Each structure stands twice: as structure tokens, then as C-alpha cells.
Amino acid sequence: MASTPRTRKSSTPLTPIVNQKPSRNRISPPSDSSPLEPSQNFFPTSRAEFLRLVSVISIAAFIAFVCNYIASVVDRQPKPFCTTNSELDDALSDLCEPCPTNGVCYDGKLECEHGFRKHGDLCIEDSKLSEVAKELYKFVEDHVCKAYAHHMCGGSGALWVQEGEILNRFEENKLTKHYGISGVAYGHSKQRAIEAVDKMLERRMGHHGIKEVKCPDQLAQKHIPLSCCVQLWIAKHAITLLAAGALLVGCSVILLKVRRRHYLSVRAEELYNKVCDVVEDKAVAARSTNNECEPWVMASWLRDYLLSPKERKDPLLWKKVF
């Protein structure tokens, strides 16, 4: 039996032969731009890129401004206050702050006067002391003006009242507890109330050099009671009121007389027609019965028949009928 010959495989792999072409070196064209000039993509080429650039620059500028402001505020130190009544205020105006109104400055510090409180670099009026001063002035005004108003109404009120006596009557403890102020603050409010009294009320130096105040006439009229106002008005216009009353009474009397005459005239005519009707009916009845019925009618019977009991008391009405 013939055996088929076996071919032996080679252990070395066969590599394909590739035709290698000679490579050509690419030569870049020479650049005309200088290396110091920016490229063409450096500037924004579209609207969106331009807006983005503007927003970035704006944010950077804002951050720089805020940082600069914070640094200036932190590093800045407040100027001290200039000493009150100092002759060098103008010369030191760049080195210190002028002392505000109603303030006392010493050694660069600010202290407000009584009746004012510190608010930043200013001295503002204390609202509590203002309320106390208004209460005191209102008390003085009511006391003085009511006394004068009572005098105007014929009473025994005083025209001039001692100023110190009125203020001493006011309850100091009640005010200080209500507003929570000290005695020194109350004294300042009392002084302000006295200044307001001097401006609004009339004053004079009375006996023994004591100040006295009087309410002006126009202000006193606001404190007069309503009943007293009516009395004063009547007393002031008494002659006019008497003349007007007499004229009103006269007109009323004349009007009543005219009305009564008109009523009597109309009623008398009405009664006359009724009397004629009754007499005519009697005459017709007498003729129809061949004089069996009396044609005469008594006047008293007609009066009682035609007039009401109230009209019978007025003899003038029946006289107008006949």
C-alpha cells in the first residue's frame, strides 16, 4: 500500500512583502506674520464672545472696586472731636471733627448736653424729655387759662397766677416714674416748659419780684365752657336779640290776625249759604202743606244747629252771618 507523502510545515511565518514607497517631506509654506503680532483668534470674532469678554471685565472691575472700598473703610480711623470753644478749631479742622450742636467735646470725646442724646456723631433731642416738657406746659396752660375763663364768666378766677406755684403743684414723682427719667433730666424739662410759658403766655413781675403769668384772651376763649359761651354771646348781642324778638312777636301777631280774618270771612260765607238753604227748605215745606208748617225759623236754633260748640263761643262769627 503506497503511502502518501506528507509535507512538513515550516515553522517560520511568512511575512508579506510590502512595497515601500519613498516618503516625501512636506514643506510648510513660509509664514508672512511676525512672531510678535497676536494671532487671528486673539480678538473675539462673534457677538457672543464680545459680550462674554465685556462681562468678565465688568466683574473684575467691580471686585476690584469693592476690595478697594473695604480696605479704605477698614484702614480709616475716625477723627477725634475738636475741643469745644477752642481757638484752634479752624486750624485743626483737617485733623479733628467739629463739635456738633448741643454737644460738649473734650479730649476728642463727645458728650451731649442735658435733654439730648448721642446719635452717631450728632446730639439729637431726647423724646422723653420733650414729652415731659409738653406735659408741664399743658398743665400750666390749663391751670392759668381755665382760671381766666372762669373769671370771664363772672366767677372768682384769678387773672394773674404765680408761675413757680403752678409748677411746684405738679407731681414730679409721677412724671419721673412714668417716663423713667432722673431728677436732673426733670429739671431740664421743667426749664424748657418755663421757656415755652414765657413765649406763649403773658407775664409780669408781681409783688416781691415773683413772676406771674396770664393767659391771652384768644387762648382763654378756647377754655371757656359751652354754657358760658352761650351766656357771653347773649350778653354781647342782647340789644340785637331784643329787637329781633320784638319783630318776631309783632310779625306773629299780625299773621295770626290776618289768618283769623280770613277764617271768619270764609266760615261766615259758608254758614250764610247753609242758613239760606235751611230757610228756603222751610218755605218750600210750608207751601206744600198749605201753611200747615210754620215757614219761620228761629235764629237760636239755626246757630245751635250750624255751629260747633267751639264756634258758639265766638260771637263775632255769628254776627258776620247776620
Side-chain angles (χ1 to χ4, degrees), residues 112 174 199 210 221:
C112 295
K174 182 179 179 180
K199 292 180 181 179
I210 300 176
Q221 291 178 359

Side-chain angles (χ1 to χ4, degrees), residues 161-172:
V161 183
Q162 294 182 2
E163 182 182 66
E165 180 183 355
I166 301 172
L167 292 175
N168 292 331
R169 288 182 182 178
F170 205 86
E171 299 181 5
E172 179 179 348

Side-chain angles (χ1 to χ4, degrees), residues 186-252:
Y186 177 80
H188 177 75
S189 300
K190 186 176 180 180
Q191 182 62 31
R192 291 186 57 188
I194 293 174
E195 294 176 358
V197 168
D198 293 340
K199 292 180 181 179
M200 299 300 297
L201 304 181
E202 299 178 6
R203 61 174 183 167
R204 71 176 183 181
M205 297 299 294
H207 300 289
H208 308 290
I210 300 176
K211 289 184 179 180
E212 294 180 347
V213 293
K214 174 180 171 292
C215 184
D217 295 341
Q218 295 181 355
L219 188 59
Q221 291 178 359
K222 298 180 180 179
H223 294 78
I224 298 177
L226 181 60
S227 59
C228 182
C229 290
V230 174
Q231 295 177 5
L232 293 176
W233 187 85
I234 293 175
K236 184 177 180 180
H237 302 85
I239 298 176
T240 304
L241 292 176
L242 289 175
L247 181 62
L248 181 62
V249 172
C251 293
S252 300

Side-chain angles (χ1 to χ4, degrees), residues 28-38 40:
S28 59
S31 176
D32 296 336
S33 61
S34 174
L36 298 177
E37 295 181 357
Q40 296 180 356

